[in-house]
Amino acid sequence: MDVNYLVWIRECIDICMHIEDIDEHSLKKRLEILENNYLNLNDIEKNKINEFLNNEISEDDCIYIASIIITCTSFDELKEIMINNILNMEYDWIEGCMIETQIVARGNISNYVLLNKIHQKNVKLMSERFELHLNYIPVIERDKNKIVIITSSLLAEYHAPTKVLIRFVHVLQEIMRYDVEVFVCPLNRKMSHEWYNPVYMQNLEKWETKRLKINYEDTIIKGYQISMGTNVEKEYQMMLELIQAWKPIFVFQLGNINPIGDLTCEITTNVAKSMSIHLPVSNAEYLLSLKSNKDEEKFISRKQEIIYQKKIPEYFECDKNAYTRNEFGFKENWFLIAIVGNRLDIEIDEKFIEILKKMQKTDSNIIYVIIGECEILKEKINKKETIQAVFLGKRGDLMKIYPMMDLYLNPKRAGGGHSSLMALAAEVPVITLPDCDV
């Protein structure tokens, strides 16, 4: 049966209105049908859907529908339309930053041009809002011993991006003898628009702005944490003024998605590195990348340069007091497959669970050892009688656990590949899905 655009709109609105009452399996099925029906529409009908979303419903409803399409589907064509609709709306820099956070964190969008459009709008909104009197510092006038790092998140040592930051600070500070100051700028302001299942970036003391001096594994991290509270504009301006006064040799945006980092490009040389396999979306002059990505590289500015990072500042050593299988009740004939992560509830979908089921059928001695907080995944797996799994929860002692494992299995994700690097250091083979972080 042909589905015209009005039927499509009714179904889309019905899903969005009742999404909290729809079980996961039914929601996935209905969204798949919605996507297929959209692809079968002609261009005229697709344009009518876009006109309806722009003109016939409120801006709040349009953003909420967009949030569901962006968060819950792999609907690239419609995601792009929805994001462009949002870009045409008026909102302040704070809301813009939080919208960008949702799209980057949950949108699974690889369109670099689109992500850059979102980012550049927020940089422009910030620049227009703040009363800035910044001057670019010539290299000859800079403090050759000073480096400033800006990041969006600093958590506990088990958090992979935090580990990466610690290692960089350790190398710059303890080995190369630079004076390093770190600004943590989490995007954690409550959104004024309703967004489906929003993400608020965590930080050490939620909602708190404070001076930092933290000892991580014998590396002292000093600097400031600036939460997006009521005084955030004043505090961001003070941060920029401090950086101007310090005259650092460069600013290093390390895993930073907060557009505030790009305002420092007006002060000194900027270097940016994402915590994933993708190029950072940034105005920085130098972009660090772990691998070549031609689809992204062709869209960067002519003024920017990509530096391929052949080594990472990381060293793993197997713990001499590694656990034995007996301590965990694991039998010697079991084939233990480790699955590790801090976001497994989000990263492991039904397709990956089907892979686990197929692997399990090949050998009854396969046991999946799942490490990380993942109550939703645990509930899903426990309902699958054909999957044998042990959940160890959050662990800070992976190098003592890995020697027991026979294999490390990496789900589809775009992180930094930290836990898999640790597995390799422990001489555990790693298998990963295509287009992943390893």
Side-chain angles (χ1 to χ4, degrees):
M1 181 181 71
D2 292 336
V3 180
N4 64 31
Y5 79 96
L6 289 175
V7 174
W8 190 93
I9 289 170
R10 281 197 292 269
E11 173 64 4
C12 180
I13 291 175
D14 187 68
I15 291 172
C16 294
M17 287 178 63
H18 303 101
I19 192 166
E20 300 292 350
D21 302 320
I22 306 172
D23 66 81
E24 184 181 359
H25 178 75
S26 299
L27 177 61
K28 181 182 177 184
K29 197 72 177 173
R30 288 181 69 178
L31 288 172
E32 285 177 353
I33 294 171
L34 194 71
E35 179 174 0
N36 289 332
N37 288 341
Y38 182 85
L39 294 174
N40 288 328
L41 296 174
N42 59 43
D43 289 342
I44 294 173
E45 290 178 309
K46 288 178 181 178
N47 287 334
K48 287 181 178 178
I49 289 173
N50 197 29
E51 288 174 7
F52 176 86
L53 293 172
N54 279 321
N55 303 320
E56 301 301 326
I57 60 176
S58 70
E59 187 175 285
D60 286 346
D61 288 340
C62 184
I63 288 180
Y64 184 66
I65 291 172
S67 75
I68 292 172
I69 297 295
I70 291 166
T71 302
C72 301
T73 76
S74 56
F75 213 160
D76 291 340
E77 182 181 344
L78 194 56
K79 280 184 183 184
E80 184 170 344
I81 290 170
M82 295 287 192
I83 290 171
N84 279 313
N85 288 344
I86 292 174
L87 283 168
N88 290 328
M89 297 176 186
E90 292 187 8
Y91 45 76
D92 63 22
W93 71 267
I94 293 177
E95 188 71 357
C97 287
M98 293 312 303
I99 289 172
E100 182 175 350
T101 302
Q102 309 313 314
I103 292 170
V104 171
R106 300 293 303 279
N108 193 25
I109 292 169
S110 58
N111 186 328
Y112 192 85
V113 173
L114 190 60
L115 294 173
N116 196 44
K117 280 174 68 176
I118 301 162
H119 183 75
Q120 295 305 329
K121 178 173 180 177
N122 290 328
V123 172
K124 185 172 183 289
L125 287 171
M126 278 185 160
S127 185
E128 291 173 348
R129 175 63 181 173
F130 295 172
E131 296 178 5
L132 301 175
H133 304 284
L134 304 175
N135 297 305
Y136 193 79
I137 305 165
V139 174
I140 196 170
E141 297 178 12
R142 298 179 196 171
D143 183 345
K144 305 299 189 295
N145 192 47
K146 191 80 169 181
I147 294 174
V148 170
I149 293 178
I150 299 177
T151 189
S152 300
S153 184
L154 185 69
L155 298 173
E157 294 173 23
Y158 62 82
H159 180 237
T162 297
K163 278 185 172 290
V164 173
L165 185 139
I166 292 167
R167 296 303 186 225
F168 270 101
V169 173
H170 178 79
V171 170
L172 292 170
Q173 198 166 259
E174 308 302 326
I175 298 174
M176 301 179 74
R177 312 311 297 175
Y178 283 101
D179 179 15
V180 181
E181 292 277 350
V182 177
F183 284 98
V184 185
C185 302
L187 293 149
N188 54 7
R189 185 74 164 261
K190 183 174 174 59
M191 297 184 71
S192 57
H193 290 95
E194 188 173 0
W195 191 279
Y196 178 69
N197 198 14
V199 172
Y200 297 106
M201 299 188 74
Q202 296 176 316
N203 48 313
L204 286 169
E205 302 288 343
K206 193 174 182 182
W207 312 117
E208 186 173 337
T209 295
K210 60 187 289 186
R211 180 80 164 109
L212 294 179
K213 191 172 182 180
I214 308 164
N215 193 333
Y216 279 111
E217 302 174 359
D218 299 323
T219 298
I220 295 175
I221 293 180
K222 59 186 177 70
Y224 297 87
Q225 177 172 277
I226 304 176
S227 188
M228 293 183 79
T230 53
N231 294 321
V232 66
E233 285 189 14
K234 180 181 178 182
E235 287 153 358
Y236 277 175
Q237 289 186 50
M238 289 176 64
M239 177 186 82
L240 294 169
E241 289 167 4
L242 273 175
I243 295 172
Q244 178 89 65
W246 287 338
K247 301 181 179 180
I249 188 66
F250 67 87
V251 169
F252 188 11
Q253 297 191 60
L254 184 53
N256 176 54
I257 63 170
N258 191 327
I260 189 64
D262 272 351
L263 295 190
T264 64
C265 293
E266 299 179 35
I267 301 172
T268 188
T269 301
N270 235 267
V271 181
K273 170 182 166 52
S274 72
M275 292 294 187
S276 74
I277 57 175
H278 298 293
L279 274 181
V281 178
S282 171
N283 292 336
E285 294 170 62
Y286 300 99
L287 307 177
L288 293 188
S289 179
L290 289 171
K291 61 183 251 185
S292 176
N293 187 324
K294 300 299 182 184
D295 289 336
E296 295 176 350
E297 291 167 12
K298 63 186 178 184
F299 294 116
I300 68 167
S301 165
R302 291 180 182 178
K303 297 179 181 180
Q304 293 178 300
E305 181 179 341
I306 299 172
I307 300 173
Y308 295 106
Q309 189 183 345
K310 296 180 180 179
K311 295 182 179 179
I312 59 172
E314 187 60 274
Y315 174 72
F316 301 110
E317 186 175 5
C318 288
D319 198 307
K320 295 179 181 178
N321 299 313
Y323 298 123
T324 65
R325 290 192 170 204
N326 189 51
E327 290 177 89
F328 283 80
F330 297 153
K331 295 180 180 179
E332 290 301 322
N333 66 328
W334 284 357
F335 189 85
L336 301 180
I337 300 178
I339 302 173
V340 184
N342 293 315
R343 301 180 297 275
L344 294 179
D345 279 339
I346 297 171
E347 293 166 341
I348 293 184
D349 55 15
E350 287 297 327
K351 289 182 180 178
F352 190 77
I353 291 175
E354 285 301 312
I355 292 173
L356 300 185
K357 286 171 65 177
K358 289 178 181 178
M359 291 175 63
Q360 187 78 71
K361 289 178 181 178
T362 66
D363 191 339
S364 60
N365 286 324
I366 287 177
I367 305 293
Y368 299 106
V369 181
I370 301 175
I371 302 172
E373 285 187 356
C374 49
E375 290 304 313
I376 296 173
L377 176 64
K378 186 175 182 179
E379 186 178 342
K380 288 180 184 177
I381 294 291
N382 287 338
K383 289 180 180 178
K384 311 283 185 182
E385 295 180 359
T386 55
I387 296 179
Q388 300 178 111
V390 176
F391 291 82
L392 298 186
K394 185 194 302 180
R395 306 289 300 208
D397 51 358
L398 288 177
M399 293 308 290
K400 294 176 71 174
I401 292 175
Y402 277 147
M404 294 188 291
M405 300 296 119
D406 296 293
L407 185 69
Y408 175 103
L409 184 59
N410 201 37
K412 185 175 182 180
R413 52 188 169 191
H418 197 270
S419 60
S420 53
L421 285 175
M422 296 176 75
L424 290 170
E427 299 184 354
V428 177
V430 171
I431 292 182
T432 184
L433 294 180
D435 301 320
C436 203
D437 62 354
V438 178

